Amino acid sequence: MNLKSKKPDWDSYFINLAEVVKSRADCTRRQVGAVIVKDFRIISTGYNGTPHGIKNCSEGGCRRCQKRDEGKIQWYEYEESCICIHAEQNAIIQAAYLGTSTNFSTLYTTCSPCSSCAKMIINAGIIRVVCKDRHHDDLAVDLLNRAGVKVDWHK
């Protein structure tokens, strides 16, 4: 048996780990996972959900998610009122909390970042983003490209 042929390439490996991280997300709208990697080592992970000490979305912690679940608003309405922290933001925050630099790292995410996350990614010194699915915010990828952050799409 040739073990080498069964090993996933690095991008597949880290995207698959981002999928596992995503399983911890508690947002009722969308679950996203992110993994920040430097020199082929994981330095941080993040998933979307409410801040520490705040009830999770599934427990009624986010009024926006609750209204959407009740059919009172569309999935794209009132995004600014959501209290959830995005997976990419949580991964960057976790690295900072642990005192780990994200400069010259790669971020793997199960969904391409929004514009707010793209700005954080740029200023965190992340130089490459590997995305699995597309977010509806096309400006974010353009913003990353304009800042020189390489964006790749994983199959």
Side-chain angles (χ1 to χ4, degrees):
M1 176 190 314
N2 183 355
L3 288 178
K4 192 165 188 157
S5 66
K6 291 187 176 219
K7 284 174 66 170
D9 61 78
W10 286 111
D11 283 351
S12 297
Y13 176 71
F14 290 122
I15 276 290
N16 288 340
L17 290 174
E19 284 289 338
V20 172
V21 171
K22 175 177 107 169
S23 70
R24 291 287 307 156
D26 194 72
C27 182
T28 60
R29 223 170 29 97
R30 175 185 288 143
Q31 291 76 41
V32 179
V35 176
I36 300 177
V37 174
K38 194 172 190 177
D39 299 324
F40 301 103
R41 289 173 175 80
I42 297 168
I43 61 171
S44 182
T45 65
Y47 53 87
N48 58 324
T50 56
H52 289 286
I54 305 296
K55 282 184 187 178
N56 288 316
C57 293
S58 63
E59 301 166 326
C62 180
R63 280 184 249 148
R64 180 175 181 270
C65 287
Q66 191 173 13
K67 284 183 181 183
R68 194 211 51 93
D69 292 345
E70 293 169 356
K72 295 180 181 173
I73 62 170
Q74 295 296 316
W75 65 270
Y76 54 84
E77 291 182 303
Y78 308 110
E79 285 188 330
E80 67 282 353
S81 68
C82 181
I83 64 165
C84 290
I85 300 172
H86 293 184
E88 302 90 341
Q89 293 169 337
N90 263 333
I92 292 167
I93 291 166
Q94 183 67 16
Y97 184 82
L98 296 171
T100 304
S101 173
T102 56
N103 205 25
F104 302 111
S105 64
T106 297
L107 184 141
Y108 292 85
T109 180
T110 60
C111 184
S112 60
C114 69
S115 294
S116 292
C117 287
K119 292 183 275 188
M120 287 184 73
I121 289 166
I122 293 163
N123 280 1
I126 295 168
I127 59 170
R128 182 173 177 241
V129 176
V130 179
C131 311
K132 186 172 179 186
D133 297 324
R134 283 190 188 272
H135 188 276
H136 65 275
D137 184 354
D138 291 329
L139 174 62
V141 172
D142 179 59
L143 191 59
L144 290 168
N145 287 328
R146 289 187 346 216
V149 176
K150 186 172 177 11
V151 178
D152 291 318
W153 297 93
H154 193 269
K155 310 172 198 90

